[in-house]
Amino acid sequence: AANKMWGGRFAAGPDAIMEAINASIDFDRRLARQDIEGSRAHAAMLAAQGIISDSDAQAIREGLLTVLSEIESGSFEFSTALEDIHMNVEARLKQLIGEPAGRLHTARSRNDQVATDFRLWVRDQCDAAVSGLEELQRALLAQAEAGAEWVMPGFTHLQTAQPVTWGHHMMAYVEMLGRDAGRFRDARARMNECPLGAAALAGTSFPIDRHATAAALGFDRPMANSLDAVSDRDFALEFLAAASLCAMHLSRLAEELVIWSSAQFRFVIMSDRFSTGSSIMPQKKNPDAAELIRAKIGRIMGANVGLMTVMKGLPLAYCKDTQEDKEPVFDAADTLMLSLAAMTGMVSDMTANREALAAAAGSGFSTATDLADWLVRELGLPFREAHHVTGALVALAEQRGCDLPELSLEDMQATHADITEGVFEVLGVENSVASRTSFGGTAPAQVRERIAEWKTRL
Ligand code: ARG
């Protein structure tokens, strides 16, 4: 039998394989709430404009609420033959209220309908991402506050570079995640225009009020071009791009947690709640959640590349290709939210090992730069020469098998005669970090200022 929704010109129904490739109901049922919200706004507008009767609009709006409760309670029967969420909802509405259901689709197409539903859905996800990010930032902030002045090694090339503070390291991620949240906010603001009323592609001859539906759905305004409104999925791509950047940041933090929780580092102790064991090695406590978060970027970035590839080269206006927009976005959104939640749990639960951090902070000649700076400041050496003298002292310490502060004054003076006792003050890691008072530096005083600022923002 021909399709009930669009089969007027068809003698035969679709092949089962046609139905299988065409149907999106298995995934776009996630748009049910947005679809019904959009339809309710559309029906109210049609009545307000005198395009359908008030009683029809009321029947439609109430019927749609019934459909929504059926879907939410799980009693709704989805049908593949009805292709997608839009037709499933409308067909059920017809069963419930009869003839008026057929008037709902006046001055509307599934093209503007799906574009509207999907924007509403992605908009919600932007908000969810921002709150997820803020929770993680608060967890990092708590860690930073607890250890604002705890010293640890700072690395470049993953080789000991200069001492920093635990608080400073935690706050670096607070900054990154703050930009991530900003990207989701920006994307949300840009996507907050309503496609509804663009109809199939050209607009409609009915006297609709697009400003009214836009406002009813919480959009800032209707989209200004009907072709653009039904065609573009840049809003979904912006979400995926923001999600990719965020996942990249999470992946870096995850990698640090993996390294830090190893027996060789012992910088942090992960909680049992966010660790797993081995089925063969009884001693193991594995950071699986961190490893998985480190990996999730692959899916999220894959979704971004995948959808971008779908969209490139599509002629205006709507093409069925765009039905492929949903699964990558659903998956990326679910993956990101879960990653944020897991990272928040791990960060809140973990314990920084202050002693291990401090021991590592002083090793690896981490205050060599402080020594070079001292030679410049106190002896007036050009930095390049100071660098050279310090290098020779590092080589000497290495030879002796000790750290810089353990060299004797005689050793120092043998390398440069003018060095005095005062040099030992700058070789301590506590003094080193305390001296980095430039704006944004690792000095505890600076770190505390940044923490205080973020506390007012979060
Ligand atoms: N399921 C479709 C999608 O997700 C809805 C739009 C269908 N429009 C059409 N003209 N076939 O893109």
Side-chain angles (χ1 to χ4, degrees):
N3 183 293
K4 281 201 203 76
M5 291 285 167
W6 41 253
R9 64 165 308 198
F10 288 75
D15 188 271
I17 293 175
M18 178 62 217
E19 225 171 69
I21 194 171
N22 201 34
S24 53
I25 188 61
D26 281 347
F27 48 88
D28 69 13
R29 61 177 67 181
R30 287 187 73 170
L31 300 177
R33 196 170 50 75
Q34 289 75 12
D35 193 68
I36 284 168
E37 212 185 315
S39 289
R40 281 172 48 83
H42 185 66
M45 179 278 291
L46 290 177
Q49 296 298 105
I51 301 168
I52 64 172
S53 72
D54 285 338
S55 59
D56 282 351
Q58 208 189 328
I60 290 169
R61 284 169 56 81
E62 281 170 13
L64 284 169
L65 285 185
T66 307
V67 177
L68 182 60
S69 66
E70 288 177 0
I71 292 174
E72 285 178 343
S73 73
S75 67
F76 191 93
E77 269 182 49
F78 291 100
S79 145
T80 310
L82 290 166
E83 278 185 44
D84 56 24
I85 186 62
H86 325 295
M87 287 190 163
N88 269 270
V89 168
E90 196 184 313
R92 179 65 184 135
L93 185 66
K94 182 89 189 294
Q95 285 175 350
L96 288 170
I97 68 166
E99 196 247 24
R103 300 187 190 281
L104 169 60
H105 213 51
T106 313
R108 187 179 76 170
S109 154
R110 275 186 293 157
N111 297 350
D112 58 336
Q113 191 178 351
V114 72
T116 305
D117 296 359
F118 201 31
R119 269 182 197 252
L120 289 170
W121 196 89
V122 176
R123 190 177 77 182
D124 279 351
Q125 293 302 306
C126 288
D127 294 340
V130 170
S131 8
L133 278 162
E134 287 177 347
E135 284 207 23
L136 176 52
Q137 285 181 299
R138 280 190 281 271
L140 289 160
L141 205 59
Q143 286 285 353
E145 223 184 356
E149 69 282 313
W150 297 357
V151 288
M152 67 179 282
F155 299 93
T156 61
H157 315 265
L158 199 55
Q159 307 289 322
T160 303
Q162 295 174 356
V164 295
T165 57
W166 171 256
H168 200 48
H169 203 120
M170 292 296 107
M171 291 307 290
Y173 283 103
V174 170
E175 294 288 340
M176 291 177 236
L177 301 176
R179 289 194 296 279
D180 289 334
R183 272 182 282 271
F184 284 113
R185 286 195 190 94
D186 290 351
R188 185 201 201 281
R190 203 165 10 256
M191 78 179 67
N192 204 29
E193 295 187 341
C194 187
L196 195 59
L201 73 163
T204 176
S205 57
F206 288 100
I208 59 170
D209 182 352
R210 292 192 58 206
H211 295 272
T213 43
L217 296 171
F219 287 107
D220 295 331
R221 64 191 78 82
M223 288 183 77
N225 183 297
S226 61
L227 294 169
D228 174 38
V230 294
S231 301
D232 208 356
R233 295 294 183 272
D234 60 348
F235 65 95
L237 284 163
E238 269 198 79
F239 172 77
L240 291 175
S244 298
L245 282 166
C246 179
M248 176 275 292
H249 287 146
L250 296 181
S251 180
R252 296 185 71 171
L253 176 53
E255 164 69 351
E256 298 210 296
L257 296 181
V258 170
I259 296 175
W260 291 353
S261 61
S262 68
Q264 288 69 24
F265 272 75
R266 293 173 44 251
F267 283 8
V268 293
I269 298 132
M270 306 303 279
S271 76
D272 287 356
R273 300 201 313 152
F274 285 93
S275 305
T276 50
S278 158
S279 53
I280 172 168
M281 296 167 283
Q283 86 282 11
K284 291 283 268 180
K285 189 168 151 192
N286 292 327
D288 292 39
E291 295 171 87
L292 287 162
I293 293 169
R294 186 172 63 185
K296 296 289 188 193
I297 171 81
R299 292 168 70 148
I300 295 173
M301 185 74 208
N304 192 11
V305 174
L307 181 55
M308 186 70 90
T309 312
V310 167
M311 294 310 296
K312 72 167 282 296
L314 284 188
L316 303 187
Y318 178 83
C319 297
K320 194 64 175 251
D321 308 51
T322 37
Q323 180 165 289
E324 290 290 309
D325 59 359
K326 292 167 203 67
E327 286 165 291
V329 174
F330 290 158
D331 185 66
D334 292 345
T335 303
L336 183 71
M337 301 315 155
L338 183 58
S339 300
L340 284 169
M343 187 58 94
T344 303
M346 271 192 298
V347 169
S348 314
D349 274 21
M350 72 187 182
T351 313
N353 184 350
R354 187 177 182 176
E355 292 70 39
L357 290 168
S363 71
F365 315 110
S366 63
T367 51
T369 312
D370 298 85
L371 172 50
D373 287 350
W374 185 89
L375 295 170
V376 170
R377 207 170 44 241
E378 303 297 324
L379 306 187
L381 264 54
F383 184 77
R384 282 296 159 218
E385 194 189 331
H387 186 286
H388 195 81
V389 170
T390 308
L393 288 168
V394 166
L396 183 64
E398 208 159 32
Q399 213 178 32
R400 300 261 153 92
C402 68
D403 264 308
L404 283 176
E406 288 144 34
L407 286 176
S408 66
L409 186 58
E410 295 71 54
D411 278 340
M412 299 252 189
Q413 286 169 342
T415 307
H416 196 288
D418 299 343
I419 296 181
T420 62
E421 194 69 44
V423 74
F424 288 99
E425 254 166 59
V426 300
L427 295 181
V429 287
E430 309 278 345
N431 287 338
S432 170
V433 295
S435 73
R436 300 296 197 274
T437 52
S438 53
F439 180 85
T442 198
Q446 278 293 315
V447 173
R448 291 214 182 276
E449 273 179 39
R450 301 290 88 70
I451 292 174
E453 283 163 14
W454 271 107
K455 274 184 132 175
T456 64
R457 272 194 259 171
L458 287 170

